[in-house]
Amino acid sequence: MTAVTTTSTAAGPGHIWSRTRGPLLALLVLLCTGIGLAAIHSDDHHGRLDPRSADPQGSRAVAQLLQERGVSVRVTTTLDETVAAAAPDATLLITTPDLLTGTGQRTLRSTASTTGRTVLLAPEQSVPALAPGVHTHTARPVTAHAPRCALPAARNAEDAETGGVRYTADNSDATACYPSAGLPTLLLLPEHDGGETVLIGSPDLLYNNRLGHQGNASLALQLLGSRPHLVWYLPSLADSSVTDGDADRTFIELIPSGWLWGAMQLAVAAALAALWRARRLGPLVTEELPVVIRASESTEGRARLYRKANARDRAAAELRSATRTRIAPFVGVSPSDAHTPAVLLPAVSVRPRRGDGDLHALLFGPAPANDAALVLLADQLDTLEREVRTS
């Protein structure tokens, strides 16, 4: 019995590297880009609206001016601390009211009744809870606007850089100032208990780098310094008292709407990419090759395509079909019957062979389970053909 030679089909390190280096390089570039963008923008909102920060978007300048005029500034970062500091002779400034959950908004709304003035910076989603009866409108760019109202603070400050979210109120006693495209960006609402609620469409006039523009400083000092004490509330995501009341919210409700829109866009992009990369339907179109390709190169190219697609069944079928076609004339079987087991197998079985394997499994059997079995099948078919030719 002759020894059957086998060929290793295991992918070597060089082959694995050549197949994976493209995706790995793309992943590395994407990772470096993300790290770079994060590093560039890491300081964009550092200390934003913090009265202790001297960064461009900090608010240390206005806090120092208020203290020089005798107004005490107390910074709070938790809801409990803010509620405890609220008083009739104090102004409560909420820097990011939209960050608050429903529980926090309702708590601050009830706290506003014990506060002389409540100032909300750029509220939008939180307006129904913190300022009932007020409606929001599309935001506009922040530019210099005239007050166009009778509010003393606005008239004294004259033009100021306002904009952002615009508001309208159902309350006829509301004072609307600094209109942008016909709608006010500053709204003062008198409360039933004698307090006031002020909505400012944009926090830009409190930034260190914009406080000296136009009448920003004058307007900020008058709005925040009307009472001897100022409670400067910086809502924090780490404040458990803000989120306790919303523990029953589902995971989907906690995901921002922007993430859902982004996921939908990625799904559409993936579908378009799949359609772009999908195989075309219809029959193959033959065309003449511009050059003559050697048979060995064609065989090697087709074998590589089969290997890349893991098409062991197609490769095995081609090998068996070619072997049956070549041995049929040597055993007296016509080409039309070469692929009929009932005709070909009896004719081959009468020929002397060294091997004792099952001819039916060899010539008409199932597809190999792995690449090693496919190589073994090729070697066995080659041995069978050699024996039939020489017998």
Side-chain angles (χ1 to χ4, degrees):
M1 181 176 182
T2 58
V4 179
T5 59
T6 59
T7 304
S8 174
T9 60
H15 181 69
I16 295 176
W17 167 248
S18 63
R19 294 182 62 180
T20 60
R21 63 185 177 185
L24 289 177
L25 180 61
L27 181 61
L28 179 61
V29 171
L30 182 62
L31 181 61
C32 293
T33 302
I35 294 175
L37 291 176
I40 292 174
H41 297 288
S42 60
D43 293 332
D44 284 358
H45 298 287
H46 175 69
R48 181 176 179 268
L49 293 173
D50 192 329
R52 301 160 296 187
S53 174
D55 291 340
Q57 291 190 334
S59 299
R60 182 176 178 180
V62 67
Q64 289 183 340
L65 291 176
L66 288 169
Q67 291 173 345
E68 292 175 0
R69 285 160 175 75
V71 178
S72 65
V73 179
R74 178 178 178 181
V75 180
T76 61
T77 56
T78 65
L79 183 62
D80 295 338
E81 188 181 5
T82 303
V83 172
D89 60 345
T91 299
L92 173 59
L93 172 64
I94 307 175
T95 55
T96 51
D98 287 348
L99 187 62
L100 300 170
T101 61
T103 299
Q105 293 171 10
R106 290 188 293 269
T107 302
L108 284 178
R109 177 60 184 172
S110 61
T111 303
S113 60
T114 63
T115 305
R117 171 179 287 180
T118 301
V119 180
L120 307 175
L121 294 184
E124 195 166 2
Q125 291 86 4
S126 58
V127 165
L130 295 177
V134 176
H135 309 281
T136 60
H137 301 271
T138 308
R140 300 284 295 179
V142 176
T143 57
H145 293 96
R148 297 182 182 177
C149 66
L151 183 66
R155 295 179 65 88
N156 293 334
E158 297 182 348
D159 292 358
E161 291 183 342
T162 58
V165 185
R166 299 174 297 166
Y167 308 98
T168 55
D170 297 335
N171 187 353
S172 59
D173 296 332
T175 303
C177 300
Y178 295 100
S180 175
L183 295 177
T185 58
L186 188 150
L187 201 65
L188 186 145
L189 302 170
E191 301 293 345
H192 299 295
D193 52 11
E196 298 172 336
T197 298
V198 180
L199 290 81
I200 304 176
S202 171
D204 290 33
L205 59 89
L206 299 183
Y207 292 156
N208 291 329
N209 60 349
R210 307 191 72 162
L211 187 65
H213 298 177
Q214 301 290 333
N216 293 354
S218 176
L219 181 61
L221 293 175
Q222 293 181 82
L223 291 177
L224 302 181
S226 62
R227 271 74 176 173
H229 305 288
L230 172 62
V231 179
W232 196 299
Y233 180 30
L234 297 170
S236 171
L237 290 175
D239 182 9
S240 59
S241 61
V242 175
T243 58
D244 284 345
D246 291 323
D248 57 343
R249 298 175 67 186
T250 64
F251 176 76
I252 299 299
E253 292 173 341
L254 293 174
I255 299 178
S257 59
W259 287 99
L260 297 178
W261 282 108
M264 292 176 60
Q265 292 177 7
L266 288 177
V268 172
L272 293 177
L275 291 176
W276 170 54
R277 297 294 296 177
R279 296 179 179 178
R280 293 188 177 94
L281 302 178
L284 297 176
V285 179
T286 60
E287 65 175 315
E288 296 182 359
L289 296 176
V291 294
V292 177
I293 301 177
R294 290 183 298 177
S296 60
E297 294 181 1
S298 299
T299 302
E300 184 178 358
R302 178 174 292 184
R304 288 179 176 177
L305 289 176
Y306 283 153
R307 181 181 182 183
K308 185 176 181 180
N310 290 326
R312 287 184 292 270
D313 53 344
R314 296 289 301 276
E318 290 291 337
L319 291 173
R320 285 167 168 153
S321 176
T323 300
R324 294 193 298 264
T325 301
R326 289 193 294 266
I327 66 176
F330 292 96
V331 296
V333 175
S334 64
S336 59
D337 295 328
H339 307 291
T340 304
V343 178
L344 180 65
L345 292 179
V348 176
S349 61
V350 299
R351 294 298 184 97
R353 294 189 303 115
R354 295 186 180 91
D356 55 356
D358 184 4
L359 281 176
H360 187 278
L362 180 61
L363 294 173
F364 298 94
N370 49 52
D371 290 348
L374 177 63
V375 173
L376 178 62
L377 173 65
D379 293 336
Q380 293 174 343
L381 290 174
D382 185 62
T383 302
L384 174 62
E385 183 178 346
R386 190 184 312 113
E387 293 175 349
V388 170
R389 286 176 179 270
T390 58
S391 61

